[in-house]
Amino acid sequence: MPDLSRRTLLKRAGAGTATLLAVGSGVTYLTEPSVAASGLTASDVSVTSSNGTLTTLEIEPSITVSWSNQNATVATVKVTWYVKTASTSETTVGTTPYSFSVSDPSQDGSISTQMGPISLLSNNGGALSASNFAAETDGGTKTTDVTISMDATLQDTNGNQLANTTDLLGPTTFAVSVTNEATEPASVSGSGTANTFGA
């Protein structure tokens, strides 16, 4: 059996239940069940520290998930966030999954929410080691690309799955640049007055 990634398996498993879209703005409605999300953007991060280390790296996502023509009313939306770098495998971060109740369950609708901070670094409960970002050279800068993405699942009032999509948001990559602040060279200085005199 060929080696299939988690995302390949999930995409194949969900292909028969929904058409899944990621759009920049608004909602695209089709005649078959569909799920859509607002486009995901992420700003680059720049940090300067005296020893070139990164101590905190977080996201605070603001998301909108929309759906149409579902086979039953959508009562719950669950989302899972993933993170990776070029040297690390894709790993979940934060709560797995985050769960949001739909205030007015319906077959056509949407939710928008501002999520709290999600730490990406392992020293704060995330998945990425701070050592991946360390700028070890005095005065030097190290830039590391971080890729984030979000899966989403829709459930009806009985907890039955209506749609499941990978990468509904993302993957999106942002750069993290850490600068090791240059230290001043060691020096010694002094001052004084000889107060010379003669008679």
Side-chain angles (χ1 to χ4, degrees):
M1 178 179 177
D3 183 21
L4 300 177
S5 69
R6 177 193 70 85
R7 295 197 175 277
T8 302
L9 289 170
L10 284 175
K11 285 179 180 176
R12 290 184 180 177
T17 60
T19 299
L20 309 170
L21 306 172
V23 296
S25 62
V27 179
T28 301
Y29 291 103
L30 304 177
T31 57
E32 57 187 279
S34 64
V35 181
S38 56
L40 180 64
T41 59
S43 300
D44 293 342
V45 175
S46 295
V47 174
T48 299
S49 64
S50 60
N51 57 3
T53 60
L54 183 66
T55 58
T56 302
L57 183 63
E58 298 177 338
I59 58 173
E60 294 187 12
S62 177
I63 64 171
T64 297
V65 178
S66 305
W67 58 89
S68 65
N69 300 317
Q70 297 301 311
N71 296 325
T73 58
V74 176
T76 304
V77 176
K78 294 186 175 183
V79 301
T80 302
W81 287 92
Y82 296 85
V83 64
K84 69 175 181 177
T85 67
S87 61
T88 63
S89 301
E90 185 178 65
T91 309
T92 59
V93 287
T95 302
T96 308
Y98 291 88
S99 183
F100 305 100
S101 297
V102 178
S103 58
D104 185 18
S106 61
Q107 290 176 273
D108 303 271
S110 67
I111 63 163
S112 295
T113 186
Q114 173 67 56
M115 301 178 65
I118 301 173
S119 177
L120 304 185
L121 294 185
S122 56
N123 62 322
N124 294 315
L128 303 177
S129 172
S131 62
N132 292 328
F133 303 91
E136 298 177 352
T137 304
D138 189 43
T141 298
K142 180 177 181 180
T143 299
T144 306
D145 287 338
V146 176
T147 300
I148 55 174
S149 60
M150 187 196 83
D151 296 352
T153 300
L154 306 183
Q155 294 181 334
D156 65 16
T157 54
N158 295 317
N160 299 311
Q161 180 176 296
L162 300 175
N164 182 31
T165 175
T166 61
D167 297 337
L168 184 64
L169 288 178
T172 294
T173 298
F174 64 97
V176 178
S177 297
V178 179
T179 299
N180 188 330
E181 191 173 29
T183 57
E184 294 295 327
S187 64
V188 177
S189 63
S191 64
T193 300
N195 295 318
T196 57
F197 70 95

